[in-house]
Amino acid sequence: NAGVTQTPKFRILKIGQSMTLQCAQDMNHNYMYWYRQDPGMGLKLIYYSVGAGITDKGEVPNGYNVSRSTTEDFPLRLELAAPSQTSVYFCASSYSSPYEQYFGPGTRLTVT
Amino acid sequence: DAKTTQPPSMDCAEGRAANLPCNHSTISGNEYVYWYRQIHSQGPQYIIHGLKNNETNEMASLIITEDRKSSTLILPHATLRDTAVYYCIVRSSGRGYGGSQGNLIFGKGTKLSVKP
């Protein structure tokens, strides 16, 4: 199993640009999550999904959108990028318990 | 959810056991203790969890006191690759899901430095 994969690893965006961060898992997990981690800080939940077609907001959803058309994929869309969205983005998934989460390697995003 | 308290940093000699403490004096009966770690620049990694019995897996052992107010994560033979920030998280683990239930609150954790 590849586990949780994320692309791209790094990206630099200009203010106002948009992009999609890709996340995929091959463990047949129902739950998937998107977090952001600012330097020296803990993780904050952006959006989560409990299954295909079902998504919900987390702690910091503003400026982001998600979709979950398949069990495997959970892309995160940034619209109109702002410098405040400079962060490391982690995707995670879990099967039965919301708290045994398996994380991807992260995407480092800089908005200038 | 119960709050956890961990020392900000610890050192451990390579090959020795690393014992990482966590206080969770307000833990309630249905709350589990979870441990994650984050190696620099990587995504967090699940290590182990437990309710009241001691648990062991291929990575670590978790010792929970009888009153459940504290726990210790044990890495039996620490290596340089175990250098990371270790997070103790206390949350209920029900089947239901909603709102912030999926939010893992990592706090500041303990920075473990394994030295040769």
Side-chain angles (χ1 to χ4, degrees):
Chain A
N1 286 348
V4 179
T5 57
Q6 292 183 239
T7 56
K9 286 187 171 56
F10 303 93
R11 184 72 185 268
I12 297 174
L13 281 182
K14 294 188 184 301
I15 295 171
Q17 288 184 321
S18 301
M19 76 165 293
T20 298
L21 281 66
Q22 301 292 343
C23 173
Q25 53 91 9
D26 61 358
M27 298 175 282
N28 201 32
H29 284 173
N30 293 321
Y31 301 93
M32 295 188 75
Y33 319 81
W34 274 106
Y35 292 88
R36 59 176 288 173
Q37 185 174 33
D38 298 333
M41 306 294 285
L43 278 73
K44 293 185 178 180
L45 184 67
I46 305 172
Y47 271 96
Y48 66 94
S49 169
V50 300
I54 306 170
T55 63
D56 207 347
K57 297 177 180 179
E59 185 182 0
V60 290
N62 292 342
Y64 307 93
N65 279 299
V66 294
S67 59
R68 184 96 182 270
S69 57
T70 67
T71 300
E72 295 77 20
D73 300 299
F74 191 39
L76 177 72
R77 177 81 177 164
L78 277 72
E79 304 283 359
L80 299 174
S84 61
Q85 293 178 304
T86 293
S87 191
V88 181
Y89 291 84
F90 291 104
C91 179
S93 71
S94 65
Y95 179 63
S96 59
S97 162
Y99 308 119
E100 293 177 46
Q101 296 185 17
Y102 296 86
F103 285 77
T107 293
R108 282 153 183 76
L109 175 68
T110 302
V111 182
T112 61
Chain B
D1 299 309
K3 180 179 177 180
T4 62
T5 303
Q6 298 178 253
S9 63
M10 293 181 64
D11 290 341
C12 177
E14 188 177 20
R16 303 297 293 270
N19 297 288
L20 292 96
C22 180
N23 286 324
H24 31 79
S25 58
T26 60
I27 193 170
S28 61
N30 67 344
E31 288 184 315
Y32 285 71
V33 180
Y34 285 78
W35 283 85
Y36 281 76
R37 72 180 182 183
Q38 189 171 23
I39 297 170
H40 181 62
S41 299
Q42 297 183 21
Q45 178 186 24
Y46 165 80
I47 300 173
I48 198 167
H49 76 282
L51 182 61
K52 55 183 179 181
N53 297 320
N54 298 338
E55 302 288 344
T56 296
N57 63 20
E58 65 277 5
M59 288 183 66
S61 295
L62 174 60
I63 309 298
I64 303 174
T65 58
E66 191 169 343
D67 63 7
R68 300 205 330 118
K69 293 186 177 182
S70 66
S71 60
T72 301
L73 178 75
I74 301 172
L75 308 179
H77 304 287
T79 70
L80 299 178
R81 287 183 292 182
D82 291 322
T83 292
V85 179
Y86 287 77
Y87 298 98
C88 171
I89 301 167
V90 173
R91 292 296 292 264
S92 60
S93 183
R95 292 281 180 186
Y97 200 96
S100 62
Q101 282 197 26
N103 196 5
L104 288 175
I105 301 172
F106 282 78
K108 295 187 183 300
T110 296
K111 181 171 174 53
L112 175 68
S113 298
V114 181
K115 300 181 183 301

